[in-house]
Amino acid sequence: MLSFPCADTAKSLDCPYIEDVDESWATELIFKPGEARIRLLLWLFARLEPTIEELFDNQLIESSGRGDSRLQTLLYVASSLGLCQNHDIELIKGTCPPSKQKVFMNTLIDIVCALDQNQKEGSEQLEKKFASNCLLLDKICYQENLQQVFLTNINLFPYDLTNISRGSESASVTEKDYKDLLASASNIADQLVERQNQLAQLKSSYTPCEYDMNKIRPILRRLKLTLSTLAQIMAGFSHCYETEIKTWCQKPSPKLSGLGIVVKRVDNLLTHFTQ
């Protein structure tokens, strides 16, 4: 069971809803949706800004869902303080996971305690803290060049071209390459214009004509049959090559002896003799 977050701190704020209560009741007050939880949130937000309490005094509960105007107002105040998002109505109602509610209540009570402590210390101590925070911010700002933060011009060159423009150890080579790149780009642009002019001429010289589909349809059927036959022949050749020819193609070339011509001559004479 989760305990009441910042219970001791909340009691130090003289919260009327948790005085002389045990831990179980305080836990139920935080994590169980209901009127008691809404009143606790109203009291905490009213400690931040007293006018909030006057705003809620004139509002009556309409329903237990999103129609409750007080829940919507609490959600608006909490999201404005950065405690939640503007759609976390379940966090205000108390129906979200307890771990999320615990973080929310801890943060809210810490803010109220910090404000109450500053009010007790007085305006002089608050001014000292404000001046100290300003000095810290100035010290952080002076460590970096803020002109780079608010720079309006954007460098669109890649990193390598930026180094070329700034100069490097091989400046003579890189600058030449850069000029060659610009010349190539200019040449490509000229070729593109030329091709566009050729395309415009072709479009102007082309005159679309109407085709008789009754004459074209038989030609298309014959072409389809021819292509289908060609595909079958190619499939048969591929199968024959993979199963019978490929194994022989991968073997090394045979080394022929000089007896081939003599054997062929003897074979021709023998054939002539038998005839």
Side-chain angles (χ1 to χ4, degrees):
M1 193 69 172
L2 293 174
S3 60
F4 180 73
C6 299
D8 297 335
T9 309
K11 288 181 180 179
S12 66
L13 295 174
D14 299 329
C15 179
Y17 300 105
I18 61 173
E19 291 180 351
D20 301 328
V21 297
D22 56 5
E23 184 178 353
S24 61
W25 192 93
T27 303
E28 182 178 0
L29 176 67
I30 291 299
F31 299 110
K32 183 177 180 180
E35 182 65 22
R37 188 177 188 279
I38 295 178
R39 291 185 180 276
L40 176 61
L41 291 177
L42 293 177
W43 185 85
L44 290 173
F45 283 118
R47 291 296 299 268
L48 295 177
E49 179 57 47
T51 57
I52 296 179
E53 187 175 6
E54 300 177 0
L55 175 64
F56 286 109
D57 288 340
N58 298 326
Q59 295 181 351
L60 299 176
I61 188 168
E62 298 176 0
S63 65
S64 59
R66 290 182 62 91
D68 190 348
S69 59
R70 296 182 303 172
L71 292 177
Q72 295 295 331
T73 306
L74 285 173
L75 177 61
Y76 172 76
V77 176
S79 61
S80 300
L81 293 174
L83 298 175
C84 63
Q85 299 183 4
N86 55 2
H87 55 79
D88 287 337
I89 188 66
E90 302 298 331
L91 180 62
I92 303 300
K93 291 167 62 176
T95 56
C96 67
S99 58
K100 189 175 181 180
Q101 297 185 45
K102 184 176 181 180
V103 174
F104 170 73
M105 293 300 298
N106 276 328
T107 307
L108 177 58
I109 292 176
D110 288 342
I111 295 175
V112 175
C113 290
L115 181 62
D116 185 74
Q117 185 68 24
N118 289 330
Q119 291 177 352
K120 291 180 180 180
E121 292 177 355
S123 58
E124 295 182 358
Q125 189 68 19
L126 185 61
E127 290 178 357
K128 290 182 180 180
K129 287 186 177 181
F130 178 74
S132 177
N133 293 335
C134 290
L135 291 176
L136 177 61
L137 183 60
D138 292 341
K139 185 177 180 181
I140 294 174
C141 293
Y142 289 148
Q143 291 178 355
E144 299 292 340
N145 186 6
L146 293 183
Q147 292 182 355
Q148 298 295 329
V149 178
F150 303 102
L151 196 62
T152 56
N153 57 336
I154 301 176
N155 186 11
L156 300 180
F157 277 97
Y159 183 75
D160 52 350
L161 295 182
T162 303
N163 290 338
I164 291 174
S165 62
R166 292 178 179 176
S168 59
E169 296 180 357
S170 57
S172 58
V173 178
T174 55
E175 290 179 1
K176 181 178 181 302
D177 294 339
Y178 182 66
K179 293 179 180 179
D180 293 340
L181 180 62
L182 292 179
S184 300
S186 177
N187 188 19
I188 293 174
D190 296 338
Q191 293 180 3
L192 180 60
V193 173
E194 183 180 356
R195 297 297 185 271
Q196 289 178 346
N197 295 332
Q198 293 178 358
L199 179 61
Q201 293 178 1
L202 290 175
K203 288 183 177 180
S204 61
S205 61
Y206 172 72
T207 55
C209 58
E210 297 180 358
Y211 299 98
D212 188 1
M213 293 304 300
N214 294 328
K215 296 180 180 179
I216 295 177
R217 197 172 288 113
I219 300 175
L220 294 177
R221 286 197 295 266
R222 288 196 297 268
L223 180 61
K224 182 178 180 181
L225 179 60
T226 304
L227 293 176
S228 178
T229 304
L230 178 61
Q232 293 178 2
I233 295 174
M234 292 178 63
F237 173 78
S238 299
H239 177 72
C240 180
Y241 174 79
E242 292 292 337
T243 56
E244 300 180 7
I245 302 176
K246 186 177 181 179
T247 55
W248 295 96
C249 293
Q250 294 178 351
K251 291 184 177 181
S253 302
K255 296 181 180 180
L256 302 178
S257 63
L259 297 176
I261 299 175
V262 178
V263 173
K264 184 177 180 181
R265 186 181 302 170
V266 172
D267 181 70
N268 292 335
L269 292 175
L270 182 61
T271 303
H272 180 70
F273 178 76
T274 55
Q275 292 178 353

